[in-house]
């Protein structure tokens, strides 16, 4: 393989140009210190070849500053691993196989060799956007990712572009250019093709125009995919567009290519998005050119001028929910979007795009928590000038829709959307006979029906949803699971039931900022939940693979497109239930609704991988033992399957669980109880030492007044920190700048205070906060201490900047008790840096783990959507009943953590004389 240093045929460099000052603009690698450090390290490392590393940089077009190389290397490693796992694909080129040790080497280096990712500095924008997407299109494309529901298919699409790009440059005379001294590669036509293909992938990454990676069937080998897309586009471009009614999807003679073309044809006719069609044409053009189905000089279509729609692409933590946008009442003919508005995101964080995301990262807040209630009554009634009667009608319809959703959010078990047990039993009684009949019939339709019923069994057994269930793989053991496995099944030995392996995506990541927090938090290993096949639904899979052994050729069981299975399942459900009550959507949601409606929504989100909006905020703060989650799953399956799962022994009521049921699952930042206990104990001991020292120093005149004031301020800060910790864990209050009530001894005989730790326009998140008696005394001590501190403050200008007792001392001035000032103090006593809101994760998770009812925990955490508020005027919740239920769990938790009433030092006034 030629390297840059071996190449003799070098294309002259383009004329240098200024980069414009942007980090992502084209630069010469040799001019970048990051590149120089990296190559120096590679040359001094005998485990890799520096020439091979340089050749890899050249072929994928690494940016000269190595910007985001760590992220690109990680993604590329997953893509190559995924490609190699698919049978039927050709072997990777030799030079690509040689990339594996190079990528491993890159990911092992520290930031002095490979720069750290800068994405979290501006999480609303890719660091490689701008010039880099055109000058280094493949490199920029390899940075992007997508949501977990289509990640595997999307990685395969990236793999197709990668392989096509390598094929195109392999025959280009400028391939072996001198990468070190070039702004960009000399083959601009290939870069342009790669860039246009990347635009399509970025559209798919955000499901633009309701697209999905699965639609293109990227699991097929590259040559086959290129041919399928090429022939489809030839038909589509020549006007041979068939309406969906003209193609009978159930006919046996409909082959795979026809079904593929039909699905793409129907999709493109439905989208009415010319830009997406154009980008699909460009993607097809690149693949068909790379695989020699068309000439490299043949144009793929006209590219006239005019405005273009900017495709941002998928970004982690990015809010992409279109249904959160405000309705457009100015034009009654425009498509109406949903009613909800992020009022708080606009008022609290500013109107700039990504403001809520930046707030979330800085203060560790789930962005959906910043969504207020639906302001139905505040919607403007439009005049005739702004839409007239049509817009008023839209307003009325949306008000009704919002009320319906508020009712639906309450998850009543008698909701029409919730399937009854009798409906599920009816389905389970019909499936075995129909499945057996389909297995023993011949033809494509019978084969599809057998697969569809097996897929339906997976839904009934796991509640994973259609998207994830279609990606199910079979494995022989847990060791066979690799990084790209999201959902797998292991057949049981002999008569033993099998095991479902479900990847439950954590709602957050450790990130570089909290890399040391992992040792302080609950043990979360790989976020895989192992569930026993209680309902024996795996028998359908076993019989299917036995009857069709060709399906064992790869680990993936369901190889057709999801839409094919959806159509067939819907047809089958209409056959056994003509009333239309038994629908695919209700079957998909049945287990989640059953678990959430009779327990906790956050817990249900950790058992069933199908994402639900109601569980989003709750999952952000929930971390539970895997054993508890598996036990809850078994309990639900026992209720609906009339099966009694065996216990671990005859004398115990605990169920027998899989061996892989240790550790925790869920949010990553749940601090360990021992870490909190150690921090509280250390703070108590410090306060005791400081109090004794202050009293002795003041009494014996050992220090000057200035030194005494400094020591006193230190004591005050530590006392305030202790009070904040006590208050935070006793109330699960969010980290706000003024958490403590003013003069708490007044008006708190009932033990309740009115508290608001979320800013809303209508104060809709005011709540009754029950405060334990010892904490009330602690808050009063804090108040008395703060009053003395304010009276003795020398610099009077700062008095008015702080209200109440919620402040720290910084020299002779008061500073707010806010996350920025709390974080370094918490790091000192907890032993490491972690989000300041980590106490909320502990509170929610610990209370649930100890058996506190989910409704009580939600009221305690202030977790609710429209229709769920326990303190609204229509709520039937009793405040006294709430306290009676919560009190024993909360007091035991506070006692376990070691919180006590901290007395003030004797004769503390002497410190100020």
């Amino acid at each position: 393989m030629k390297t840059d240093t071996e190449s003799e045929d070098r294309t002259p460099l383009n004329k240098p140009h200024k980069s414009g000052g942007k980090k992502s603009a084209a630069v010469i690698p040799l001019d970048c210190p990051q590149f120089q450090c990296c190559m120096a390290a590679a040359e001094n490392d005998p485990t890799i070849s520096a020439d091979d590393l340089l050749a890899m940089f050249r072929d994928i077009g690494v940016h000269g500053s190595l910007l985001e190389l760590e992220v690109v290397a990680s993604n590329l490693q997953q893509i190559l691993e995924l490609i190699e796992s698919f049978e039927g694909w050709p072997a990777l080129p030799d030079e690509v196989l040689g990339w594996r040790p190079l990528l491993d080497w890159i990911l092992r280096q520290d930031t002095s060799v490979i720069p750290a990712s800068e994405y979290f500095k501006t999480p609303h924008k890719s660091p490689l956007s701008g010039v880099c997407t055109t000058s280094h299109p493949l490199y920029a494309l390899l940075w992007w990712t997508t949501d977990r529901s289509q990640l595997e298919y999307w990685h395969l699409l990236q793999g197709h572009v990668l392989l096509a790009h390598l094929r195109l440059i392999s025959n280009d005379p400028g391939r072996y250019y001198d990468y070190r001294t070039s702004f960009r590669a000399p083959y601009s036509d290939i870069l342009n093709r790669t860039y246009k293909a990347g635009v399509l992938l970025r559209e798919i990454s955000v499901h633009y125009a309701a697209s999905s990676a699965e639609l293109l069937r990227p699991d097929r080998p590259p040559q086959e995919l290129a041919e399928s897309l090429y022939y489809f586009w030839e038909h589509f471009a020549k006007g041979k567009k068939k309406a969906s009614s003209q193609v009978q999807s159930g006919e046996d003679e409909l082959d795979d290519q026809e079904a593929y073309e039909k699905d793409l044809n129907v999709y493109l006719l439905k989208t009415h998005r010319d830009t997406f069609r154009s980008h699909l044409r460009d993607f097809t053009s690149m693949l068909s050119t790379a695989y020699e189905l068309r000439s490299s000089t043949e144009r793929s279509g006209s590219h006239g001028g005019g405005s273009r729609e900017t495709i941002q692409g998928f970004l982690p933590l990015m809010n992409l929910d279109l249904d959160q946008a405000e309705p457009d009442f100015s034009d009654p003919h425009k498509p109406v979007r949903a009613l909800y508005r992020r009022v708080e995101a606009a008022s609290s964080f500013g109107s700039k795009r990504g403001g809520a995301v930046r707030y979330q990262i800085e203060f560790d807040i789930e962005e959906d928590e910043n969504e207020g209630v639906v302001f139905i009554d505040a919607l403007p009634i439009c005049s005739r000038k702004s839409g007239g009667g049509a817009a008023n009608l839209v307003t009325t319809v949306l008000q009704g829709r919002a009320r319906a959703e508020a009712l639906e959010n309450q998850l009543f078990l008698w909701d029409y959307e919730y399937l009854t047990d009798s409906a599920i039993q009816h389905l389970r009684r019909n499936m075995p006979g129909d499945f057996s009949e389909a297995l023993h019939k011949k033809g494509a339709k019978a084969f599809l029906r057998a697969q569809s019923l097996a897929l339906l069994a997976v839904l009934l057994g796991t509640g994973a949803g259609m998207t994830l269930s279609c990606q199910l793989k079979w494995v022989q053991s847990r060791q066979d699971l690799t990084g790209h496995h999201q959902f797998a099944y292991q057949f049981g030995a002999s008569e033993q039931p099998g095991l479902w392996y479900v990847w439950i995506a954590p709602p957050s990541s450790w990130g570089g900022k909290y890399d040391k927090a992992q040792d302080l938090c609950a043990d979360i290993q790989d976020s895989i939940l192992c569930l026993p096949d209680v309902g024996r639904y795996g028998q359908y899979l076993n019989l299917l693979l036995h009857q069709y052994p060709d399906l064992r050729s790869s680990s993936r069981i369901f190889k057709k497109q999801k839409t094919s299975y959806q159509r067939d399942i819907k047809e089958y459900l209409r056959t056994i239930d003509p009333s239309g009550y038994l629908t695919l959507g209700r079957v998909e949601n049945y287990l989640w609704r059953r678990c959430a409606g009779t327990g906790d929504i956050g817990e249900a989100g950790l058992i069933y991988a199908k994402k639900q909006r109601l569980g989003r905020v709750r999952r952000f703060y929930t971390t539970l033992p895997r054993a508890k989650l598996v036990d809850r799953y078994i309990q639900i399956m026992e209720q609906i399957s009339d099966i009694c799962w065996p216990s671990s022994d005859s004398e115990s009521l605990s169920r027998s669980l899989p061996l892989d049921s240790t550790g925790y699952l869920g949010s990553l930042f749940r601090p360990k109880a021992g870490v909190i206990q150690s921090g509280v104990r250390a703070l108590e001991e410090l306060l005791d030492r400081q109090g004794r020292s202050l009293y002795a120093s003041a009494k014996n005149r050992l220090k000057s007044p200035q030194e005494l004031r400094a020591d006193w301020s230190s004591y005050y800060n530590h006392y305030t920190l202790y009070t904040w910790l006590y208050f935070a864990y006793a109330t699960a209050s969010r980290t706000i700048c003024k958490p403590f009530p003013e003069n708490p001894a007044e008006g708190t005989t009932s033990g309740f205070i009115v508290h608001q730790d979320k800013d809303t326009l209508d104060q809709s998140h005011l709540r009754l906060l029950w405060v334990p008696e010892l904490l009330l005394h602690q808050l009063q001590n804090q108040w008395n201490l703060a009053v003395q501190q304010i009276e003795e403050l020398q610099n009077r200008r700062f008095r008015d900047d702080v209200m109440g007792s919620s402040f720290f001392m910084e020299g002779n001035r008061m500073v707010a008790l806010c996350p920025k000032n709390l974080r370094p103090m918490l790091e000192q006593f907890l032993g490491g840096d972690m989000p300041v809101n980590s106490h909320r994760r502990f509170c929610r998770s610990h209370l649930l783990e100890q058996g506190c009812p989910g409704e009580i925990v939600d009221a305690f955490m202030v977790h609710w959507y429209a229709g769920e508020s326990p303190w609204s005027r229509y709520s039937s919740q009793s405040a006294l009943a709430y306290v009676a239920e919560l009190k024993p769990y909360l007091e035991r938790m506070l006692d376990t953590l070691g919180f006590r009433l901290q007395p003030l030092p004797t004769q503390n006034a002497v410190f100020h004389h």
Side-chain angles (χ1 to χ4, degrees), residues 641-659:
S641 302
D642 298 326
I643 296 174
C644 183
W645 191 251
S647 59
S648 56
D649 57 72
S650 57
E651 297 180 358
S652 173
L653 296 178
S654 61
R655 296 179 177 85
S656 176
L657 304 180
L659 295 177

Side-chain angles (χ1 to χ4, degrees), residues 151-200:
L151 184 59
E152 181 177 303
Y153 280 120
W154 202 78
H155 274 335
L156 288 175
L157 285 176
Q158 287 177 302
H160 281 291
V161 175
L162 169 67
L163 297 177
H165 179 90
L166 294 177
R167 283 180 64 94
L168 289 171
I169 67 174
S170 65
N171 297 319
D172 192 278
R175 177 184 183 177
Y176 298 106
Y177 70 100
D178 190 351
Y179 164 78
R180 300 166 303 170
T181 59
S182 303
F183 279 101
R184 68 187 72 195
Y187 32 77
S188 57
D189 57 333
I190 297 176
L191 297 182
N192 188 43
R193 290 183 185 276
T194 305
Y195 164 72
K196 291 179 178 179
V199 172
L200 175 78

Side-chain angles (χ1 to χ4, degrees), residues 202-218:
R202 292 207 303 275
E203 288 179 325
I204 293 175
S205 73
V206 294
H207 300 284
Y208 175 76
S211 60
S212 71
E214 183 189 13
L215 181 68
L216 300 180
R217 293 285 302 278

Side-chain angles (χ1 to χ4, degrees), residues 665-693:
L665 203 68
S667 181
L668 301 179
F669 295 104
R670 172 186 172 174
K672 296 176 182 177
V675 171
I676 305 168
Q677 291 166 345
S678 298
V680 170
R681 191 182 311 114
L683 197 50
E684 288 176 340
E685 292 172 355
L686 178 61
L687 286 171
D688 183 65
R689 290 196 305 272
Q690 285 185 323
R692 292 175 185 275
S693 175

Side-chain angles (χ1 to χ4, degrees), residues 771-810:
V771 182
E773 186 176 355
L774 286 181
L775 177 56
L776 275 176
H777 291 303
Q778 179 74 24
L779 290 171
Q780 187 60 46
N781 283 352
Q782 175 69 32
W783 173 266
N784 296 336
L785 208 58
V787 169
Q788 284 191 354
Q789 196 70 21
I790 293 173
E791 290 176 354
E792 294 298 323
L793 191 63
Q794 286 184 335
N795 193 338
R796 305 290 176 174
R797 289 183 304 155
F798 295 103
R799 271 194 178 187
D800 297 334
D801 292 346
V802 178
M803 294 178 58
S805 57
S806 302
F807 63 89
F808 284 127
M809 293 301 302
E810 190 176 277

